[in-house]
Amino acid sequence: MFSFAPSLVGFVRPDIDWHAVAPELTLLGVGAVVTLLDIIFLERGRAYTSAMAGIGLLITLIPIVTLAAQGTTREMFGGAFVVDNFALVLKAMFIVVAYIVVLLSTNYIAEGDYWENEYYGLLLSAVLGMVLMASARDLITIFVALELLSIPAYLLAAWRKGDLKSNEAGLKYYLMGVFASAIMLYGMSLLFGLAGDTRLSEISVALSGGDAEPVAILGIIFVIVGFAFKVSGFPFHTWAPDTYEGAPTPVTAFLAVASKAAGFVALLQLVYAGFGSRDDVYEPLFWILAVGSMTAGNLMALRQKNIVRLMAYSGVSQAGFMLAPLAVIGAIGDEAVSAVVTYVLIYAAMNLGAFAVIITVARRTASGEISSYSGLFGYAPGLCVVMSLFMFSLAGIPPLGGWFAKFAVFRAVVEADTAWGYSLAAIAAVNSVIALFYYAKVARMMWFEAAPAQADMSALRIPPSLLAALGLTAAATLLFGIYPPAITHFTDGALIALSY
Amino acid sequence: MAEFLNDWGLSLATFLPIIGAAVMLLIPKENEQLHKLIALATSVAVAVFGVLLLIQFIDNDDYGALNFVVDKSWIDVIDSRYIMGVDGISLPLMLLTMLIVPLCVIYSWNHFPEPRNPKAFLMLILILETGMIGTFAAQDLILFFVFFEVVLLPMYFMIGVWGGENRRYAAIKFFLFTLFGSALMLVSFLALYFLADPTMVAGELTRTFDMRLLPDAAAGIAKSSQVWVFGGMFLGFGIKVPMFPFHTWLPDAHTEAPTVGSVILAAVLLKLGTYGFVRIAIPILPEAAAEWAPFIGLLAVIGIIYGALGCLAQRDLKRLVAFSSVAHMGFVMLGIATLTDFGINAAVFGMVAHGLITGMLFFLAGSVKERYHTLDMTRLGGLLVQAPRMGWILGFCVMASLGLPGLAGFWGEFPAILASYNPAEVLAEETFRSYMVVAAVGTVLAAGYLLWMFQKTAFGNPKDEFANDPNVKDATFSEYLAWVPLLILILLLGVYPQLLFGATDPAVVNSLSECLESATSEACFDAAAGQ
């Protein structure tokens, strides 16, 4: 009678550290409340959803801060879910980025013809996926987190239902994303077959044993290629410009910053914790991806006439910079993780800021053409200064934040002290010059060119939520550049080393 | 007071302009008069600080060492610190900056170039000032890099917004060229950081960006790596100087920039490059410098001749002065390439002299342009008839620029030529002596193009189109106010060069490694490796 009892009650609930999952649970709760609000109050609930989502996100910061204050590394589910400094810093970043995206969306969604409540619900569930990703240390958790953040994003990209371009954006993003997921999943299955375990720590052990058997190499390559789609690295970037252009601009900002960052988080975890000793396989791959992305992204960006497409290609090029430290991660370990995270954080501030300006300007010009920025200095000098700040920060000019991001990458690749590292540094240096050309093109339009004759030159009114987003991102961009310890405090190599 | 100046003087002088710019940011742009006053007050206050620092510097009586040293933590993670300090090399250049900026503010008082907007224009000048002073004061490579780059944006906007016909092209060209050099320079700084031996800083053995410690720490770097690292710096500084063949941005930038922009560009920005060689590249990597010196010397003399020939082909007055800058900076670089204390002293003198003289020439070109609305020398003429005082001031500056003894320009060129007769022991004498001959020919050409320019613009009778133009007046009050200090200094330094050499010499001697005294750079290298 007792013989089959284990098969019935054999499931023992694993220990759950409620404090460690508090951020995820809070987000889930907020998402549920926002969705319920819509079901119960229907139209009347509209006015509150964006505020609810924003406040909910800020509340989610509380458990993150308390966890950080305790400072202990927590593990659950046999090491599949880890809360360490790395995870906390990135979770906080995802939450803050999402908060700013909510600020950007408030007017955009309220004033468009789009039903808004599901919007925030979907946004929050995508954020949940990202927050989960920061803690994922096994293949299944990574995959679940990835799908959790991707599927809402596919829907959000197609949010402007009546617009063909938006439909195209959503469909393209969906097809490419699913394709990438499939490749990645195949790679993961190969790795699982090799290691017999989904945890990265076990995979690391299994990989370090054998020599270059094709299964391991294929597995690693497929997984990396899958995420190269997510971070829009060359040559897997083709979806980015069309999706960015067609999607609602706040969603574009979300994809360009948060979704890309999530891809890098996953890559860092996989490479640092999982592929460890196989730098002979992944380093050349990342070298090619980095050089290809920064060069091709730059060259294509030079020809763009639409500001959002420009940002898409500039994003490809910036992804190349973020990929660069991964090409030397075998030699310098923690320092490469630190460089990538530093870059991702600073990039988030300046890129979101640039999108905030794009959204604000589009309220007046209703256009995405770069030429529509001509004469901006005439009717919105403050906005013009702020946009120049973001553009030159993206180009990496001191004393704006971007310089330190680029510096961190240069430092990492030079530290490796290999021919590959130095060549990467030289190529990156040349690329940062090419990039300046198109960033300066935007500045040139705003400052040097006169406004078109029939333009409305009355002062531009900026709604408070956009103003807040602009202020936050501009202040962060300046602060990170003038006083880099504000960022290195969180991204120091020793502090942020992943535990697995 | 002495203690206050020693601890705070330098940082205050550096950041005061930024504070002034921040105050101006808060005031609406309609209050033009107030903006001008704030900008003037700020820049004059900085100049006063400069004078106080100078007095204290003389009082400290240690020209060779760094004065006013501040050493605070900044970016601990990368071991970069906030280290400031000036010695006899940097002080003259810093004072030159502090002098030029208020003069520029005064000069633009009543003639802001289109599209006016004094608020933005003056704010940019003040931000530029912080960048320039900071670059001369920084003693940490990363801090130096940041200040070095801070000057780019204001200058880009100044050329792009207030410039001439072709300003967009000139602005972006200036920006791209400089950025290309400085990106590679940054990679070199990083390589230096990782390759140099760890040093004791505050009781801990760490890597460092400290320019005071790096000369010793870098001695152990393999020579082949040193040569590469120097190469990166060479591009960064050489483009800024600018050396042939990287000079092409300069004529465009100068021609298109507003008068004040040209003055600052010529008087100070170009010196950031040569200063980088004297302060960073040569003291830290002397062996690599010895390898590169013949090549640098060659480019320098090509620059001298090429710049002079370029001048002779110009019709545009401003473009001519720009090309003459290429030639003059060639003399400075030749002095540096000799790697002797004599040559480098001459180079520092040349930087200051060129700053004063060419700054003056650009002021004059701006005033000519304002009166005649053209700088085409075929249409100009008779300045001495129509505006005699201005004409004579131009004549004075032309004489100074061509290196007439008794004026400042002479002491930059002549010792540089002399130094290349007898370069550092490690360098080949024959090479530098042939450079000397070429450079001497360059001085003749310089006299040629400058006198030709003077003849074209000042001699003869005014052309018909301007003969009765009421616009053509003699120098105005604000112009005198801006010019007289420069003219006095040109004369003073020309008559009594010891004023400057006295300050620079101890610092130059300190900065040069003994290796350069020995017959081969290998000997020095072995000594370092053996330690």
Side-chain angles (χ1 to χ4, degrees):
Chain A
M1 181 175 176
F2 288 103
S3 60
F4 64 86
S7 63
L8 273 181
V9 291
F11 175 73
V12 182
R13 197 194 76 181
D15 277 338
I16 292 184
D17 180 348
W18 294 104
H19 193 184
V21 288
E24 281 82 0
L25 292 180
T26 318
L27 259 185
L28 191 63
V30 174
V33 169
V34 169
T35 313
L36 277 179
L37 207 70
D38 173 38
I39 297 173
I40 298 168
F41 295 105
L42 297 173
E43 301 275 324
R44 283 171 298 146
R46 270 194 194 188
Y48 307 105
T49 38
S50 105
M52 286 280 304
I55 293 168
L57 283 165
L58 292 182
I59 291 174
T60 314
L61 279 177
I62 297 173
I64 295 179
V65 171
T66 58
L67 281 167
Q70 284 195 342
T72 47
T73 299
R74 295 153 182 271
E75 284 191 11
M76 272 197 286
F77 313 127
F81 184 91
V82 176
V83 178
D84 53 4
N85 288 322
F86 173 84
L88 287 174
V89 167
L90 286 156
K91 281 178 194 208
M93 185 208 74
F94 285 129
I95 300 289
V96 173
V97 166
Y99 178 70
I100 292 174
V101 171
V102 168
L103 288 179
L104 297 183
S105 312
T106 306
N107 288 80
Y108 190 94
I109 297 295
E111 290 163 15
D113 307 324
Y114 330 115
W115 187 259
E116 53 185 294
N117 291 359
E118 294 94 334
Y119 179 87
Y120 295 104
L122 287 171
L123 190 70
L124 288 171
S125 61
V127 178
L128 178 61
M130 293 166 184
V131 171
L132 181 63
M133 181 68 94
S135 282
R137 300 288 193 279
D138 103 331
L139 294 180
I140 292 181
T141 320
I142 289 178
F143 187 71
V144 169
L146 181 72
E147 293 305 306
L148 189 52
L149 76 89
S150 298
I151 292 169
Y154 301 145
L155 297 173
L156 290 174
W159 203 248
R160 297 188 301 164
K161 280 169 262 184
D163 187 273
L164 266 182
K165 278 206 159 172
S166 186
N167 291 336
E168 182 195 342
L171 194 63
K172 224 168 206 165
Y173 187 33
Y174 171 70
L175 288 176
M176 289 300 212
V178 172
F179 181 53
S181 290
I183 293 176
M184 182 191 329
L185 209 51
Y186 184 49
M188 284 181 172
S189 73
L190 292 177
L191 291 176
F192 174 69
L194 197 73
D197 200 308
T198 55
R199 278 171 296 176
L200 296 182
S201 49
E202 299 301 315
I203 290 171
S204 173
V205 173
L207 283 177
S208 64
D211 39 12
E213 58 275 86
V215 176
I217 297 175
L218 269 184
I220 291 174
I221 291 178
F222 280 173
V223 170
I224 290 177
V225 163
F227 279 104
F229 272 99
K230 209 72 215 165
V231 303
S232 65
F234 178 83
F236 311 108
H237 66 283
T238 46
W239 58 273
D242 294 331
T243 303
Y244 282 18
E245 191 189 1
T249 323
V251 174
T252 306
F254 186 65
L255 295 180
V257 174
S259 175
K260 182 176 293 211
F264 275 102
V265 169
L267 274 179
L268 280 175
Q269 288 164 333
L270 284 163
V271 171
Y272 185 91
F275 305 158
S277 53
R278 300 312 300 269
D279 48 9
D280 57 326
V281 179
Y282 62 77
E283 284 197 347
L285 190 60
F286 279 124
W287 196 93
I288 295 167
L289 278 175
V291 169
S293 301
M294 57 177 88
T295 313
N298 268 340
L299 295 181
M300 290 185 284
L302 288 175
R303 301 177 53 86
Q304 299 309 315
K305 295 198 163 57
N306 181 299
I307 185 91
V308 180
R309 291 185 81 85
L310 177 95
M311 293 305 289
Y313 285 111
S314 111
V316 174
S317 154
Q318 302 273 356
F321 278 92
M322 294 184 234
L323 284 165
L326 289 167
V328 294
I329 195 171
I332 59 172
D334 306 344
E335 293 301 325
V337 177
S338 161
V340 176
V341 176
T342 307
Y343 205 114
V344 166
L345 293 184
I346 297 176
Y347 175 75
M350 55 197 186
N351 216 36
L352 276 179
F355 275 107
V357 178
I358 292 171
I359 292 170
T360 314
V361 172
R363 287 168 63 82
R364 164 64 60 87
T365 61
S367 158
E369 296 302 303
I370 297 175
S371 56
S372 73
Y373 281 71
S374 58
L376 189 69
F377 188 55
Y379 60 88
L383 203 60
C384 185
V385 170
V386 175
M387 184 62 160
S388 315
L389 207 74
F390 295 131
M391 285 294 132
F392 288 111
S393 181
L394 282 165
I397 309 293
L400 308 168
W403 87 268
F404 192 72
K406 292 240 157 60
F407 177 83
V409 167
F410 280 127
R411 179 173 184 265
V413 293
V414 172
E415 184 175 3
D417 196 21
T418 57
W420 290 103
Y422 284 118
S423 56
L424 198 51
I427 294 170
V430 173
N431 267 301
S432 61
V433 180
I434 302 175
L436 174 76
F437 191 80
Y438 55 83
Y439 292 126
K441 187 164 87 176
V442 180
R444 193 192 75 190
M445 271 300 159
M446 299 186 299
W447 290 82
F448 305 171
E449 305 289 341
Q454 68 281 19
D456 176 6
M457 293 297 282
S458 59
L460 188 65
R461 203 189 66 80
I462 306 175
S465 61
L466 278 177
L467 203 58
L470 285 168
L472 284 173
T473 48
T477 304
L478 263 180
L479 176 72
F480 293 159
I482 292 168
Y483 189 66
I487 199 121
T488 57
H489 180 71
F490 301 108
T491 61
D492 184 21
L495 179 83
I496 208 163
L498 283 92
S499 7
Y500 57 96
Chain B
M1 187 69 183
E3 200 175 317
F4 172 75
L5 278 178
N6 279 330
D7 292 348
W8 289 96
L10 206 51
S11 301
L12 267 177
T14 309
F15 292 107
L16 208 56
I18 273 275
I19 296 171
V23 172
M24 289 168 68
L25 187 65
L26 302 175
I27 299 170
K29 74 173 176 189
E30 285 71 30
N31 292 339
E32 291 191 359
Q33 208 60 26
L34 187 59
H35 282 297
K36 291 182 201 167
L37 282 174
I38 294 176
L40 184 65
T42 314
S43 55
V44 168
V46 173
V48 170
F49 248 109
V51 174
L52 291 177
L53 285 173
L54 174 66
I55 295 169
Q56 186 62 36
F57 187 79
I58 296 169
D59 196 43
N60 289 353
D61 197 28
D62 193 1
Y63 300 170
L66 286 176
N67 285 243
F68 317 119
V69 176
V70 186
D71 188 345
K72 296 267 187 298
S73 83
W74 183 40
I75 317 177
D76 287 337
V77 186
I78 55 166
D79 308 309
S80 170
R81 300 178 63 78
Y82 175 80
I83 309 172
M84 305 275 268
V86 288
D87 63 3
I89 299 176
S90 33
L91 187 79
L93 295 166
M94 202 175 82
L95 291 176
L96 175 69
T97 313
M98 293 169 166
L99 173 71
I100 292 283
V101 172
L103 298 184
C104 286
V105 176
I106 293 171
Y107 180 83
S108 34
W109 201 264
N110 284 325
H111 15 46
F112 280 97
E114 286 303 319
R116 288 186 52 77
N117 199 342
K119 174 181 176 180
F121 191 75
L122 293 170
M123 276 175 65
L124 290 179
I125 292 185
L126 290 180
I127 298 172
L128 260 175
E129 186 173 22
T130 288
M132 297 184 294
I133 298 178
T135 312
F136 291 131
Q139 297 295 331
D140 177 283
L141 290 181
I142 297 304
L143 191 63
F144 174 88
F145 171 76
V146 170
F147 280 125
F148 192 80
E149 300 281 283
V150 163
V151 299
L152 289 184
L153 275 182
M155 195 38 98
Y156 169 73
F157 283 119
M158 199 175 271
I159 299 173
V161 178
W162 287 272
E165 201 60 25
N166 210 0
R167 57 183 191 270
R168 296 176 188 88
Y169 170 73
I172 192 70
K173 191 170 180 183
F174 158 77
F175 206 155
L176 287 176
F177 266 70
T178 326
L179 193 73
F180 176 72
S182 53
L184 290 175
M185 180 180 86
L186 182 64
V187 174
S188 279
F189 285 177
L190 278 164
L192 199 59
Y193 169 78
F194 284 113
L195 294 176
D197 300 324
T199 327
M200 291 298 275
V201 179
E204 261 184 277
L205 203 60
T206 55
R207 301 191 179 285
T208 180
F209 283 112
D210 190 337
M211 279 145 71
R212 300 167 301 177
L213 304 174
L214 275 171
D216 286 332
I221 303 177
K223 190 164 174 183
S224 54
S225 319
Q226 278 205 23
V227 170
W228 278 101
V229 173
F230 194 97
M233 294 187 192
F234 169 76
L235 274 179
F237 298 138
I239 288 175
K240 196 87 174 180
V241 169
M243 296 190 71
F244 178 88
F246 313 119
H247 66 280
T248 57
W249 64 267
L250 184 82
D252 288 318
H254 267 314
T255 315
E256 302 304 329
T259 306
V260 171
S262 288
V263 172
I264 294 180
L265 194 58
V268 189
L269 289 202
L270 305 189
K271 277 71 196 179
L272 300 184
T274 40
Y275 174 76
F277 277 107
V278 174
R279 166 68 67 201
I280 297 173
I282 292 172
I284 295 178
L285 299 168
E287 293 100 55
E291 294 291 313
W292 276 83
F295 179 63
I296 295 177
L298 177 67
L299 290 183
V301 292
I302 293 180
I304 293 172
I305 300 298
Y306 185 90
L309 294 177
C311 284
L312 287 168
Q314 300 309 317
R315 285 172 54 164
D316 184 295
L317 177 58
K318 227 173 158 188
R319 223 175 155 80
L320 185 145
V321 181
F323 270 102
S324 85
S325 275
V326 176
H328 282 125
M329 293 315 272
F331 283 105
V332 172
M333 285 313 298
L334 181 63
I336 292 174
T338 63
L339 300 180
T340 55
D341 51 354
F342 193 53
I344 293 180
N345 270 318
V348 179
F349 202 107
M351 292 182 219
V352 176
H354 175 261
L356 297 170
I357 298 166
T358 310
M360 254 326 285
L361 285 173
F362 276 117
F363 269 138
L364 286 162
S367 290
V368 167
K369 166 102 186 201
E370 201 173 273
R371 284 162 175 78
Y372 294 90
H373 302 289
T374 179
L375 285 168
D376 187 345
M377 288 189 289
T378 54
R379 290 171 62 197
L380 295 174
L383 191 64
L384 281 168
V385 176
Q386 282 187 301
R389 295 198 180 85
M390 217 173 101
W392 284 118
I393 292 175
L394 179 63
F396 178 85
C397 295
V398 161
M399 295 305 154
S401 185
L402 62 80
L404 195 73
L407 298 175
F410 176 74
W411 298 108
E413 285 181 18
F414 173 69
I417 297 174
L418 208 56
S420 49
Y421 183 76
N422 211 356
E425 291 288 333
V426 289
L427 302 175
E429 245 172 30
E430 304 78 36
T431 323
F432 275 83
R433 285 190 185 166
S434 36
Y435 292 165
M436 183 187 81
V437 176
V438 181
V441 173
T443 57
V444 180
L445 288 175
Y449 64 75
L450 283 163
L451 291 173
W452 174 70
M453 177 266 273
F454 189 52
Q455 272 186 6
K456 283 266 192 187
T457 50
F459 289 4
N461 284 318
K463 299 281 179 332
D464 290 342
E465 54 177 326
F466 299 117
N468 298 311
D469 194 334
N471 222 346
V472 182
K473 305 181 293 278
D474 215 333
T476 62
F477 178 67
S478 66
E479 284 170 342
Y480 277 125
L481 217 54
W483 297 347
V484 166
L486 293 177
L487 298 174
I488 293 177
L489 275 175
I490 292 174
L491 187 63
L492 192 64
L493 288 178
V495 179
Y496 189 56
Q498 181 60 20
L499 214 55
L500 194 52
F501 282 135
T504 57
D505 189 51
V508 170
V509 172
N510 266 358
S511 76
L512 282 178
S513 155
E514 291 93 32
C515 338
L516 300 171
E517 310 279 326
S518 53
T520 61
S521 61
E522 272 77 13
C524 155
F525 185 64
D526 293 341
Q531 276 171 8

